[in-house]
């Protein structure tokens, strides 16, 4: 995809239909290839402030236990309360929901982007369903499927579907006419036009939506498990809230934050790899 896109864009540059892209800036704040440590300053400051507040008893431990208490609670949950099982249950639900929702969204988004009739057929129905929050569907879906994993997967997949679908559709509609005209000059077939021009040009929008949807799915699993479920990180959070186990509550929150960060970074790396052909401003 990338090589073909490079070839088409190079041909367009030579033909004078598009401007030659400006060179990208090399290096970052600390120079190319060096780790970016500036992002660690704020988390470290928060940790120091947290420890200081706990040591000086500025806040009641019931509301904010000390960091060492949270670490102890983490070890207890990991060794005696099957934290790993709950974590894997949440990851499994998120993975399935993201896969099903994003694949369906990309397929239908491409179809709607290529055909006005397809967009008009699905548009009114999708626009109506899109405005009903996923959590509003949960009670009904639980009646259909029970409180097991399939109900949560369906609710989260619905929430994943629409941002990916809309960005895929909009990405295709925003393809520059210069590329389409050049493809006609090169006498590309319809399939070649879609595969070599339209999809690569829409890929930045698709990748951004996938990155957003992955984070959204991970956030929603907490709510879905908390409202209907007997396992998972969301269930642990709501249980800890009910029993005033603030240390366990913070353990789950930290895990959710770190895993969410890892998911976002992974999607960012995938985005950079898929779009390595794209020239842009690095900041």
């Amino acid at each position: 995809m990338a090589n073909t896109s490079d070839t088409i864009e190079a041909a367009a540059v030579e033909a004078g239909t598009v401007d030659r892209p400006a060179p990208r800036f090399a290096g970052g704040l600390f120079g190319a290839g060096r780790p970016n440590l500036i992002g660690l300053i704020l988390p470290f400051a928060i940790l120091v402030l947290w420890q200081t507040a706990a040591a000086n008893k500025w806040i009641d431990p019931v509301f904010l236990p000390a960091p060492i208490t949270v670490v102890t609670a983490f070890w207890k949950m990991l060794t005696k309360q099957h934290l790993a099982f709950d974590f894997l249950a949440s990851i499994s639900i998120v993975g399935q929901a993201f896969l099903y929702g994003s694949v369906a969204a990309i397929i239908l988004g491409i179809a709607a982007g290529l055909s006005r009739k397809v967009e008009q057929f699905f548009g009114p129905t999708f626009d109506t369903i899109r405005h009903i929050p996923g959590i509003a569907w949960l009670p009904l879906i639980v009646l259909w499927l029970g409180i097991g994993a399939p109900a949560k997967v369906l609710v989260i997949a619905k929430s994943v579907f629409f941002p990916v679908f809309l960005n895929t559709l909009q990405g295709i509609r925003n393809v520059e006419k210069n590329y389409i005209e050049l493809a006609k000059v090169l006498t590309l077939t319809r399939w070649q036009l879609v595969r070599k021009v339209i999809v690569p040009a829409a890929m930045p929008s698709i990748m951004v939506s996938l990155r957003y949807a992955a984070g959204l799915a991970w956030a929603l699993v907490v709510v879905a498990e908390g409202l209907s479920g007997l396992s998972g990180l969301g269930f642990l959070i709501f249980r800890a809230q009910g029993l005033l186990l603030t240390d366990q509550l913070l353990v789950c929150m930290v895990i959710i934050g770190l895993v969410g960060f890892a998911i976002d970074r992974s999607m960012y790396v995938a985005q950079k790899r898929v779009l390595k052909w794209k020239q842009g401003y690095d900041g």
Side-chain angles (χ1 to χ4, degrees):
M1 181 183 299
N3 292 336
T4 308
S5 177
D6 288 341
T7 302
I8 292 178
E9 187 164 352
V13 169
E14 296 300 327
T17 56
V18 296
D19 296 330
R20 187 176 301 276
R24 302 179 65 179
F25 292 94
L29 181 63
F30 295 101
R34 296 184 181 181
N36 187 356
L37 301 179
I38 193 172
L40 298 178
I41 296 177
L42 182 58
F44 181 75
I46 293 174
L47 184 61
V48 170
L49 181 61
W50 179 10
Q51 176 60 39
T52 303
N56 292 279
K57 297 183 179 180
W58 293 343
I59 303 176
D60 192 309
V62 173
F63 299 107
L64 186 66
I68 187 63
T69 304
V70 176
V71 173
T72 303
F74 167 74
W75 181 250
K76 179 181 177 181
M77 295 173 69
L78 185 63
T79 57
K80 298 181 180 180
Q81 298 183 11
H82 309 292
L83 176 62
F85 172 80
D86 290 294
F87 173 75
L88 291 176
S90 297
I91 283 290
S92 175
I93 290 172
V94 170
Q96 294 178 64
F98 177 73
L99 178 63
Y100 301 151
S102 59
V103 169
I106 291 174
I107 293 175
L108 289 178
I110 292 176
L114 297 176
S115 172
R116 289 284 183 183
K117 291 183 179 180
V118 174
E119 180 185 7
Q120 292 169 357
F121 177 80
F122 287 109
T125 303
F126 281 2
D127 285 340
T128 302
I129 296 175
R130 177 168 60 91
H131 288 93
I132 304 176
I135 300 304
W137 287 93
L138 188 58
L140 181 61
I141 293 176
V142 167
L143 288 176
W144 295 342
L145 303 177
I147 62 173
K152 304 179 190 64
V153 170
L154 183 57
V155 169
I156 299 173
K158 177 266 179 188
S159 299
V160 167
F161 175 88
F162 287 104
V164 179
F165 171 81
L166 291 174
N167 277 274
T168 301
L169 171 61
Q170 194 61 37
I172 291 177
R173 293 292 166 81
N174 286 339
V175 175
E176 294 187 18
K177 289 186 176 181
N178 291 333
Y179 296 160
I180 306 300
E181 293 173 357
L182 178 61
K184 292 179 180 179
V185 171
L186 298 175
T187 65
L188 297 182
T189 64
R190 174 74 171 177
W191 169 244
Q192 290 175 328
L193 174 66
V194 173
R195 182 170 61 89
K196 296 183 178 181
V197 180
I198 295 179
V199 171
M203 192 56 65
S205 295
I206 296 175
M207 292 304 301
V208 169
S209 67
L210 289 175
R211 182 180 175 186
Y212 169 78
L216 179 64
W218 180 243
L220 287 176
V221 74
V222 177
V223 181
E225 289 175 338
L227 295 178
S228 66
L230 298 175
S231 63
L233 295 177
F235 168 74
L236 294 181
I237 284 181
F238 278 76
R239 187 191 68 175
Q241 178 194 21
L243 299 176
L244 287 180
L245 299 174
T246 315
D247 51 353
Q248 295 189 12
L249 178 62
L250 287 172
V251 168
C252 295
M253 290 176 62
V254 171
I255 291 175
I256 290 169
L258 292 177
V259 174
F261 176 79
I263 291 174
D264 184 74
R265 290 295 93 185
S266 299
M267 294 301 297
Y268 175 75
V269 171
Q271 178 181 342
K272 296 291 285 186
R273 288 183 177 274
V274 172
L275 303 179
K276 60 184 179 180
W277 54 269
K278 183 175 175 58
Q279 300 290 335
Y281 175 61
D282 287 338

